[in-house]
Amino acid sequence: MNSLGDLRRSHYSKEINPDMNDEEILVMGWTHEIRDLGGIIFVLLRDRDGLVQITAPSKKIETDLFEKLRKIKKESVIAVKGKVQGSPKAPGGVEVIPSQLYILNESKQPLPLDPTEKVRAEIDTRLDSRFLDLRKPSISAIFKIKSTMLHSVRVFLEKNGYLEINTPKLVASATEGGTELFPITYFEREAFLGQSPQLYKQIMMSSGFDRVYEIAPIFRAEEHDTLRHLNEVISIDIESSFMDQHDVMDVLEKLVIQTITDVTENCETELEVLGRDLQVPETPFEKIEYDDLIDMVNSKGVPIEHGEDLSRAAEKAMGEIMDGYYFITGWPTEIKPFYVLHEEETPEKSQAFDLMYKDLEISSGATRVHQHDLLVEKIKGKGLNPESFERYLAAFEYGMPPHAGWGLGAERFNMTLTGLNNIRETVLFPRDRRRLTP
RNA sequence: GCCCUGGUGGUGUAGGGGCUAUCAUGCGGGCCUGUCGAGCCCGCGACUCGGGUUCAAUUCCCGGCCAGGGCGCCA
């Protein structure tokens, strides 16, 4: 069939129930499985929300239709018109007796992987044929949860006075330091893909927007090859004026709780498909001082010295000690970026924090430096050139309020909700060291 | 980038210096009126690439590419 014509879906699979007995309906979707028993054919039609059984007893339907049904290829797109029949023998207690079958698009055979999941496929195979992989209920569940998660985050932040903003991903400068950037050609100049909206959301504080958030991709050109890193991820970023680290930690904690609550309430089926028993954690989240963390990690037999960032071994040691979400506070100023404010009394200690889930860092944030001269000094202290930050620094010379903020990795947050251990699972089309397609 | 392991039908696997290369799933055909991982019968389909050793390499050795795991890198 080249065109849909008048055909329109009347119901999704999950909307069909035994109370609709004898009702004429039209379902659309993919042929998940066909079981041809000779005198009766069962076709499992799958749509976004699940499966519905099309039952065709030879005696009850026309021969042409019967023959057409037995020849459908798996994963073809079909529309079926028929009558609902409640039946205790049918899965879900309900089935459809077909009167019309429309093959909207036939699928090639054999399939590059098995959407019924009788034979598992490796992630590499799955990502190559991601469109098919995503037809599996256990895979689409991840993205339904991600959708709910992002919606929940937006609703929460809007309710708390945050305005959604968009900042450029094409940036001029590679001078923020730290991570490697992807260079690109910008007409006659070199430019880069943004590693973080950090400097822009701070400029917005000087603009008087008070509270802003952005949910957008960030790019990191690191050659990392782990289950927790990708080269393109979605960052959930906030920045808040007239707040310090404690205030924004509180926002973050409430956001995490609200999101988990929403996911447990709205994604029951998806969590079940994933075998995930998600519980709303108790609050407040434990706060561990960096100084104490050093002792905790050392006590596990993992060497770490004061002033060091956490090695993977150190993170794992913490993962063994801690269960669920917790903050790490009081990081050494030395290992934090220039825009992080230090404690007044003890300048070697910063007002920066990380939010961890077991052994996984999911967010980091801080009270920011809001005084121009101090910021210049800090930039110099990191061996960077203040001249490259001219436009950023200008925002600090004409009334920059004290402010704080954080960035939360959307995929890593999703991993904590779904219980997945490979970040690739949480991105539709992941970008890693080797993969640039599809 | 480093270390370890691996690459066998479309998919997931077993195996292994010479024999028709194992199994499951799938695909094609046939039988079957209640399947729900349907069942039964017949058939189809594979040793990552390059070089080396050898009478003989899918198997052993070296290298490439790719993958899995671990680490590093990741303001």
Side-chain angles (χ1 to χ4, degrees), chain A residues 282-413:
Chain A
E282 281 179 27
T283 52
F285 296 162
E286 204 166 329
K287 290 189 175 72
I288 295 168
E289 274 282 315
Y290 175 86
D291 293 351
D292 298 331
L293 176 138
I294 297 300
D295 295 339
M296 291 166 79
V297 171
N298 282 145
S299 77
K300 277 273 165 186
V302 177
I304 180 170
E305 281 183 43
H306 200 279
E308 278 184 319
D309 208 341
L310 300 191
S311 65
R312 187 59 192 143
E315 286 180 338
K316 282 183 173 170
M318 287 307 291
E320 281 177 35
I321 301 167
M322 304 300 297
D323 195 31
Y325 301 90
Y326 60 98
F327 286 105
I328 300 172
T329 59
W331 288 85
T333 306
E334 205 192 329
I335 56 171
K336 284 290 168 183
F338 63 79
Y339 50 77
V340 166
L341 186 63
H342 51 72
E343 297 283 4
E344 255 172 79
E345 308 286 299
T346 51
E348 68 282 357
K349 196 180 271 190
S350 73
Q351 292 189 228
F353 62 88
D354 279 3
L355 177 65
M356 306 289 294
Y357 178 78
K358 295 177 182 172
D359 63 355
L360 185 67
E361 175 195 331
I362 63 170
S363 171
S364 64
T367 310
R368 321 298 191 186
V369 176
H370 68 278
Q371 292 146 111
H372 177 270
D373 293 355
L374 178 58
L375 192 55
V376 171
E377 202 178 294
K378 289 239 185 192
I379 288 171
K380 283 183 189 162
K382 291 285 173 188
L384 299 168
N385 184 359
E387 280 175 32
S388 351
F389 295 92
E390 203 188 347
R391 296 289 155 208
Y392 166 68
L393 284 168
F396 291 75
E397 290 187 290
Y398 303 92
M400 173 66 88
H403 60 281
W406 45 251
L408 167 67
E411 283 77 18
R412 287 189 175 185
F413 187 28

Side-chain angles (χ1 to χ4, degrees), chain A residues 257-290:
Chain A
I257 295 296
Q258 184 59 247
T259 304
I260 295 173
T261 305
D262 290 345
V263 169
T264 52
E265 282 172 10
N266 300 312
C267 300
E268 233 174 301
T269 319
E270 287 74 22
L271 290 167
E272 201 188 315
V273 166
L274 292 169
R276 178 68 170 165
D277 178 27
L278 186 65
Q279 301 289 340
V280 180
E282 281 179 27
T283 52
F285 296 162
E286 204 166 329
K287 290 189 175 72
I288 295 168
E289 274 282 315
Y290 175 86

